[in-house]
Amino acid sequence: MSLHIVSKSPFSSTALADCLTSFIEGDALVLIEDGVYALSGALKSQPVVGPVYCLAADAQARGLTIPAAVEAIDDDRWASLCTEHNPIVSWFR
Amino acid sequence: MSLHIVSKSPFSSTALADCLTSFIEGDALVLIEDGVYALSGALKSQPVVGPVYCLAADAQARGLTIPAAVEAIDDDRWASLCTEHNPIVSWFR
Amino acid sequence: MGKRSLALCRQAPYGNALAREGLEAVLAASALEQAPDLLFSGDGVFQLLPGQEPDGIGQKNLQRNLQALPIFDIERAYVCEHSLSQRGLSLDDLATGGPALHPVSDIGKLISSYDTVLSF
Amino acid sequence: MGKRSLALCRQAPYGNALAREGLEAVLAASALEQAPDLLFSGDGVFQLLPGQEPDGIGQKNLQRNLQALPIFDIERAYVCEHSLSQRGLSLDDLATGGPALHPVSDIGKLISSYDTVLSF
Amino acid sequence: MYPATSDTRNQAAMNFTLAVYAAPHASQSAATALRFAQALLRQGHQLYRVFFYCDGVHNGSSLATPPQDETDLLPAWQSLQAEHGLDLVVCIAAAQRRGVLSEAEAKRLERPAANLAPGFELAGLGQLADAVAHSDRLVTFGS
Amino acid sequence: MYPATSDTRNQAAMNFTLAVYAAPHASQSAATALRFAQALLRQGHQLYRVFFYCDGVHNGSSLATPPQDETDLLPAWQSLQAEHGLDLVVCIAAAQRRGVLSEAEAKRLERPAANLAPGFELAGLGQLADAVAHSDRLVTFGS
């Protein structure tokens, strides 16, 4: 199943919204770069989809706390997720 | 009063929405580049603000028709609008 | 190879180079007989509007690239229905002359049926 | 000159260079005693979040640039209230140490009081 | 006052500065800025400065070579510069990061080549502040 | 199979291709791609190719010179290339438009200098299609 990678803020881009429209059972979502701002909004308490992963370094860079419902990951875990899923779909605009 | 210039599609960027939040009586709006896609949505029939101008070349490039409530302009008219208003505020992301 | 790939086209034409460079990548792959399928979604559906005349902004007409696709055996393309209705458009509003356009309601299911997705 | 200018900061930090390059332009103007006022709106309010630690992504902390502003006589900055509430934030959630932050409800009125607006 | 067309007769000529943040070919914005500059000059306005910042510094590259059937912005900026004595300033800090270097900068930074096109000059961010202070209007062309 | 850490023991090594569309310094994405490439190699995976497309071609510029206190991606890509024999391909068409030229291209196009960094090579878009066909995974790093 697909691994979706979102790298833009949900407050200024429709990248996350478009991704969620394409999200189906069995898929997974990785928030990177400005995509981690979803943690301060839509995905704060109860994510609408799952599983949701978040690059810890990107959240830390931006002063965001990763909520319990989202799994903090490093680059190595991200790479592993990419081997466990296919295709890999980037949403960057 | 301000001249607001919006250059991104309202369907994928919040540039237009952010601009409209900042729009006050006496301001004017110019749609350029992908900003002209507002003509196929929010600003199609009755624009929520006014006056609204649209670069004709950008609408024509994209196969869009400019509705009656929006004034089609060329670069020279755009330049004139910039002399008639101040400040000039660009909304491009 | 038997691998199936999808080009996911989400950008409006002309405002930035991604729509054009995406189609160029698709044409290059097709010339090597590795044609991906195409899915237009989000602002990418605007690539399919008829009557584009970008001379006035000094750009080349992207629809020529679309019309070239059938030459490279890309006979059909998918269009996200949700994206169309969000933009007040229907299939009838889109241009013909390129590959046949097939509306898709569940693009998640479509995407997951491919081995590779190229996002543009 | 007596001209009043405003730097409109609408970008989140780190994801693209505009937040940083905007602040650098503000600092350069301030060093020449032509300091603009600052308005943080949209994702620009995220520049003001405390506790940013960008070492892990190989970038410099932007908050140091913000903290340098008072040295250049930029004593206060405006923050769009609507942008804060859209993001579930309040003034209390923002970092101190830079210029004092003044919430603004009608940013249209604020913008129109300036001669020049630099968008970043 | 330099009225150029009948449209502009009643208008006072103004001093404009353009801030260009977009690279050519990546975004339409650089081409829009050029057309806007041409319109201003056609109407008899003055361009105090064009300041290329952020990705806009790539407008000053002498190496960009678009295909023959695509618009090449570089010679258009250069001929506008030659004809009107335009001040085309590329931000030196933004250009250094992105690899747009004059001969002097290439030598100073010990880089193998220079690629700043004739007609453009590198200068500091202070030139943007100076332009804001000395222009009637500033128009930003974003990325 | 080249297991590098205990985490990866149970995993089959895979062949990855990365498509990088973003220039360094303009967007975080180029730096993210580099870190991801390092993680893949650390885990014992293979990188079939890194394909630099769109604004990503600027990653291959030998002239970009970030300030000393900012990360310089170029030497990091080059040392990864040297160590692992990476295939760092810069799309020739996208690079030509944006002014990233090899010596041969600069001569052919009659441009005054070349700026393609050692370790990178220019090649056609077909190399992206080839990489898609020969890789287990493709990851796109957008702009």
Side-chain angles (χ1 to χ4, degrees), chain E residues 25 31 34 36-37 41 52 59 68 73 86 106 114 135:
Chain E
H25 309 293
L34 172 68
F36 187 77
L41 295 167
F52 297 95
N59 285 283
Q68 299 235 333
L73 301 185
L86 289 195
S135 303

Side-chain angles (χ1 to χ4, degrees), chain E residues 13-94:
Chain E
M14 281 190 177
N15 236 327
F16 278 76
T17 285
L18 311 188
V20 181
Y21 299 169
H25 309 293
S27 149
Q28 190 191 337
S29 187
T32 306
L34 172 68
R35 278 193 359 248
F36 187 77
Q38 290 165 335
L40 287 177
L41 295 167
R42 201 161 49 223
Q43 295 204 347
H45 297 296
Q46 280 104 53
L47 261 176
Y48 182 80
R49 183 166 293 148
V50 183
F51 191 82
F52 297 95
Y53 194 41
C54 305
D55 287 354
V57 301
H58 290 298
N59 285 283
S61 165
S62 61
L63 303 183
T65 318
Q68 299 235 333
D69 56 352
E70 288 180 23
T71 311
D72 192 351
L73 301 185
L74 179 63
W77 278 119
Q78 288 175 320
S79 73
L80 220 54
Q81 195 281 326
E83 198 178 330
H84 298 270
L86 289 195
D87 197 21
L88 303 181
V89 174
V90 174
C91 172
I92 193 165

Side-chain angles (χ1 to χ4, degrees), chain D residues 15-96:
Chain D
N16 68 72
L18 210 51
R20 186 185 56 190
E21 296 195 309
L23 288 180
E24 286 177 1
V26 167
L27 288 170
S30 306
L32 298 173
E33 298 188 349
Q34 297 173 344
D37 288 349
L38 269 77
L39 167 60
F40 294 91
S41 93
D43 278 352
V45 303
F46 287 135
Q47 295 183 34
L48 304 169
L49 283 183
Q52 297 172 30
E53 295 175 18
D55 287 359
I57 59 168
Q59 291 202 41
K60 280 192 297 184
N61 198 327
L62 260 187
Q63 292 189 302
R64 275 186 226 132
N65 296 25
L66 286 168
Q67 283 159 3
L69 292 174
I71 300 168
F72 293 104
D73 292 326
I74 300 187
E75 301 288 358
R76 70 176 191 169
Y78 299 98
V79 185
C80 171
E81 278 185 340
H82 174 70
S83 303
L84 282 178
S85 68
Q86 260 188 329
R87 287 158 184 79
L89 297 170
S90 72
L91 215 55
D92 295 342
D93 295 318
L94 305 184
T96 51

Side-chain angles (χ1 to χ4, degrees), chain C residues 52-115:
Chain C
Q52 297 172 29
E53 296 175 17
D55 287 359
I57 58 168
Q59 291 201 43
K60 281 191 296 182
N61 198 327
L62 259 186
Q63 291 190 302
R64 273 187 228 131
N65 296 25
L66 285 168
Q67 284 160 3
L69 293 173
I71 300 168
F72 293 103
D73 293 327
I74 300 187
E75 302 288 357
R76 70 177 191 168
Y78 299 100
V79 185
C80 171
E81 277 184 341
H82 175 69
S83 303
L84 281 180
S85 67
Q86 260 188 330
R87 287 158 185 77
L89 297 170
S90 72
L91 216 53
D92 295 340
D93 296 317
L94 305 183
T96 52
L101 302 174
H102 290 245
V104 183
S105 57
D106 188 347
I107 72 168
K109 199 173 147 196
L110 181 75
I111 286 172
S112 70
S113 70
Y114 289 88
D115 298 302

